[in-house]
Structures are given as structure tokens and as C-alpha cells.
């Protein structure tokens, strides 16, 4: 009886290529396609938006790699880091995150939230997301605010835009009665970039159960 042969037809080879294509690849140095990028140092310092060619030159001057960590941002966010160490730390963090309990945190907003209070709440949200937790944003309308509920949806849209380098939408903004809610889930560890770091509170504990979301929406 002849031995069974492996099926190496062109169709199967194409199927394997399609499967591999579905795996997202981190773009590094010359493989970064965007013409302009937002550059962040390894310590989180923002160097601003610049042409990708200039960012690559800067990386080479200091002996580091230009690594695209938030490809869906506009413009994409890149870090100046050692790519080899980055891959090692990313693998280690992903392994640790598998055993870490993910909780739902809650951040309450108002239509009239002042700028400083908003920035502090966004800094807290970034810390929640950076610790691997989901964040539920809740905005309740009071009195005459119920006549202008579109403003609540605008606040949620701003939150989503401001935190796009830390999380992605898990539950889109939803209006129920006098309340709008939205849930964000963390981006992969290596893709997170904080925008509100300077508003972080020194004694804030992102893992504290004090900030866990309640079920009585």
C-alpha cells in the first residue's frame, strides 16, 4: 500500500499564507509606512509629530529602533527603544497578564466637568487600562441636561479619542434613560502610550477595589 502523501497543493500553501497574514506584525524602522508619526521615548516623554524619516534618523543617532506601538492612532505612535528588549518584555508581560485578574473599573463624568478634573479622570483611566483592567465610563443627566443628551454622547466621543492610545471600545456609548455608558478595554501592553501622565496622582492605586464598577447602573 503506497504511503500517504502530504497535501502540498498551491491552494493549501495559499491558505497558510492567509493564516499568517492575519497575525499582526509590529513595524520597525524602515518597515513603518506612515509618512508622519508621533514619537515617544522609552520613558514616555513625547517628542511630538515629525516625518517618519526624521524620526528614524533620530533613532539611529542614539542607537535605538523606531517601533510602531499604536498603528491605529492618527498619526501612528512610535517609541524609540531597543526592539530586542521590547520583544522580550512584551512576551514577559503577556505571560504575566494571563494570570492577572481583570476587573471592571468605573469613571463617572458630567457634561460640565472642568478641564482639570477631566484630565485627572483621564489619567486615572490610563492607569486602570495600563494595569489591564476594563473601564466603564458613566455620565448621568440631571434636570435640564436631559433636554441636551447629545452632549453626553459628545463627551464619550472625546473620551474615546483621548484614550485611543491606551484602550479600544469594548462597548460603544449607549444611552439608557438618563445615563450614557461606554466601556473601554486595554490595548496590548506594548501598544499603550499615556497622554495624561502628568496628571497622575502619586498615591493613586489603580488596583484598589474602591474604584470597581458597581452593578447598579
Amino acid at each position: 500500500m503506497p504511503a500517504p502523501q502530504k497535501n502540498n497543493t498551491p491552494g493549501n500553501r495559499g491558505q497558510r499564507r492567509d493564516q499568517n497574514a492575519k497575525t499582526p506584525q509590529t513595524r520597525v524602522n524602515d518597515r513603518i509606512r506612515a509618512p508622519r508619526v508621533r514619537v515617544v521615548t522609552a520613558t514616555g516623554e513625547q517628542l511630538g509629530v515629525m516625518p517618519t524619516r526624521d524620526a528614524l534618523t533620530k533613532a539611529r543617532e542614539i542607537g535605538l529602533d523606531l517601533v510602531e506601538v499604536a498603528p491605529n492612532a492618527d498619526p501612528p505612535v512610535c517609541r524609540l527603544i531597543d526592539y530586542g528588549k521590547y520583544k522580550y518584555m512584551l512576551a514577559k508581560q503577556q505571560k504575566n497578564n494571563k494570570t492577572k485578574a481583570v476587573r471592571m473599573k468605573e469613571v463617572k463624568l458630567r457634561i460640565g466637568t472642568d478641564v482639570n478634573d477631566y484630565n485627572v479622570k483621564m489619567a486615572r483611566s490610563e492607569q486602570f487600562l495600563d494595569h489591564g483592567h476594563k473601564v466603564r465610563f458613566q455620565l448621568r443627566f440631571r434636570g435640564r441636561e436631559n433636554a441636551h443628551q447629545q452632549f453626553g454622547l459628545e463627551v464619550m466621543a472625546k473620551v474615546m479619542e483621548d484614550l485611543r492610545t491606551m484602550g479600544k471600545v469594548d462597548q460603544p456609548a449607549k444611552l439608557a434613560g438618563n445615563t450614557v455608558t461606554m466601556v473601554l478595554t486595554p490595548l496590548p501592553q506594548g501598544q499603550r502610550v499615556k497622554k495624561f501622565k502628568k496628571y497622575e496622582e502619586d498615591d493613586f492605586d489603580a488596583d484598589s477595589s474602591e474604584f470597581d464598577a458597581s452593578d447598579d447602573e
Side-chain angles (χ1 to χ4, degrees), residues 102-105 129 132-136 170 183-186:
V102 176
R103 298 204 297 270
M104 180 76 76
K105 300 296 181 176
L129 292 165
H133 303 309
K134 293 186 177 183
V135 184
R136 183 172 74 198
D170 186 65
V183 177
L184 297 186
T185 192

Side-chain angles (χ1 to χ4, degrees), residues 23 25 28 30 32 35 52 62 66 70 101 111 125 130 136 140-141 148 156 161 164 170 183 197 212:
T23 303
Q25 300 293 322
V28 183
D30 293 322
I32 297 172
T52 303
I62 58 179
L66 186 68
I111 289 179
S125 301
D130 202 34
R136 183 172 74 198
R140 285 183 175 167
F141 303 102
H148 305 282
M156 292 300 179
E161 177 64 24
R164 66 185 303 175
D170 186 65
V183 177
K197 188 175 179 62
D212 288 356

Side-chain angles (χ1 to χ4, degrees), residues 33-108:
R33 301 171 185 171
R36 295 173 64 82
V37 294
R38 184 178 300 279
V39 182
V40 182
T41 67
T43 60
E45 178 187 357
Q46 299 217 18
L47 302 183
V49 177
M50 64 182 71
T52 303
R53 182 176 298 178
D54 292 350
L56 185 55
T57 298
K58 182 177 290 290
R60 287 171 175 164
E61 286 176 350
I62 58 179
L64 295 174
D65 298 296
L66 186 68
V67 181
E68 189 179 62
V69 296
N72 295 325
D74 184 20
V77 178
C78 295
R79 280 188 186 274
L80 299 174
I81 48 179
D82 183 315
Y83 184 54
K85 291 181 180 179
Y86 168 80
K87 288 196 298 181
Y88 171 78
M89 292 301 299
L90 184 60
K92 184 177 179 180
Q93 289 163 347
Q94 288 175 339
K95 182 178 179 180
N96 292 336
N97 286 342
K98 289 180 180 179
T99 61
K100 186 175 182 177
V102 176
R103 298 204 297 270
M104 180 76 76
K105 300 296 181 176
E106 187 169 75
V107 174
K108 295 184 178 180

